[in-house]
Amino acid sequence: MTNERLEELLYEAKMTMANGDTEKCLSLCNQAYMLDNENIDVLGMLGDVHLIRGDLARAKEYYSDGKMAHPNNVYIRNSLANIYFEQKDYGKSSEEIAETLEISPDDIGSRYLLGAIKLNLGDLDVAREDFEKIIKRRVNMPPGTIGRETQEISIINSYLSLYGIHRHDHDLAGCIKIFGKAWVFNTKCRLSKTLYRISGGLIRV
């Protein structure tokens, strides 16, 4: 009965998060946590909802607990690395990524974060190489699998980062080319309309 209730709570939490109701999602996650405080889905959801609500400290706590309980979980490790990245602690973020790549050498999310760190540090040429490698990759997880959307988002973010680098270089042709490829990928994956926010930038290069 406990497992069934846990699954119900997690399902409801995912639905409420998808609808943008983070308050209710947090309440449901806390109830699930009371049933199993080491469940990887519960810890990941709690980290995610706190991250969405802007509470990086609390998000880091749950991701760290998830890492302790499930040290080989790539999603949790990448989420923790992302927290350090958001806090501009690129050293810690790089350490987490390096450990994750030992577990999963081809992980797209880790590779994207590594490129993003280099980009933020101003190493545009190396970042460009990383992002170009990522966009050549294929999402290798079946639809509905936990982590597939993370792979898709990492690829689309790599397109967006490359677009930004081309804009920095005042390369209009490069902007148009990468934007077209990004649009096709975004449409194929049926992600949110992320690209609308940069479409106007094409005429301001």
Side-chain angles (χ1 to χ4, degrees), residues 151-203:
Q151 287 191 348
E152 293 172 341
I153 290 172
S154 293
I155 293 174
I156 201 67
N157 280 341
S158 294
Y159 276 116
L160 294 174
S161 297
L162 280 171
Y163 175 87
I165 291 173
H166 284 298
R167 283 196 65 187
H168 177 271
D169 294 341
H170 300 285
D171 179 4
L172 177 59
C175 278
I176 294 173
K177 182 178 179 181
I178 204 69
F179 183 84
K181 289 182 177 180
W183 192 278
V184 170
F185 180 83
N186 193 53
T187 303
K188 181 180 178 182
C189 293
R190 298 180 181 178
L191 296 171
S192 59
K193 297 177 181 178
T194 310
L195 294 175
Y196 279 122
R197 71 182 176 84
I198 66 167
S199 58
L202 285 170
I203 61 172

Side-chain angles (χ1 to χ4, degrees), residues 23-46:
E23 189 69 35
K24 185 175 180 180
C25 179
L26 182 57
S27 174
L28 292 164
C29 286
N30 284 331
Q31 292 177 56
Y33 184 80
M34 294 295 291
L35 294 177
D36 187 349
N37 61 11
E38 290 190 353
N39 182 282
I40 190 62
D41 292 326
V42 173
L43 293 170
M45 284 285 291
L46 276 166

Side-chain angles (χ1 to χ4, degrees), residues 56-84:
L56 299 188
R58 290 288 285 165
K60 185 194 290 185
E61 287 180 20
Y62 287 111
Y63 291 143
S64 296
D65 288 347
K67 177 185 171 182
M68 289 289 291
H70 306 270
N72 292 328
N73 187 280
V74 171
Y75 178 78
I76 286 289
R77 283 182 167 275
N78 278 340
S79 297
L80 190 55
N82 184 59
I83 291 289
Y84 288 124

Side-chain angles (χ1 to χ4, degrees), residues 111-128:
R111 294 289 176 188
Y112 166 71
L113 273 175
L114 208 53
I117 289 171
K118 292 170 184 174
L119 180 62
N120 280 20
L121 292 174
D123 198 344
L124 300 189
D125 290 336
V126 177
R128 188 201 306 266

Side-chain angles (χ1 to χ4, degrees), residues 85-137:
F85 176 82
E86 292 294 331
Q87 295 176 328
K88 301 190 186 315
D89 189 343
Y90 301 133
K92 276 280 191 183
S93 186
S94 297
E95 288 176 14
E96 288 292 339
I97 294 168
E99 291 179 7
T100 304
L101 289 174
E102 288 182 8
I103 298 167
S104 181
D106 297 324
D107 182 66
I108 294 174
S110 298
R111 294 289 176 188
Y112 166 71
L113 273 175
L114 208 53
I117 289 171
K118 292 170 184 174
L119 180 62
N120 280 20
L121 292 174
D123 198 344
L124 300 189
D125 290 336
V126 177
R128 188 201 306 266
E129 291 178 9
D130 286 338
F131 294 136
E132 286 177 346
K133 288 177 183 176
I134 291 170
I135 64 174
K136 292 176 182 176
R137 301 283 298 280

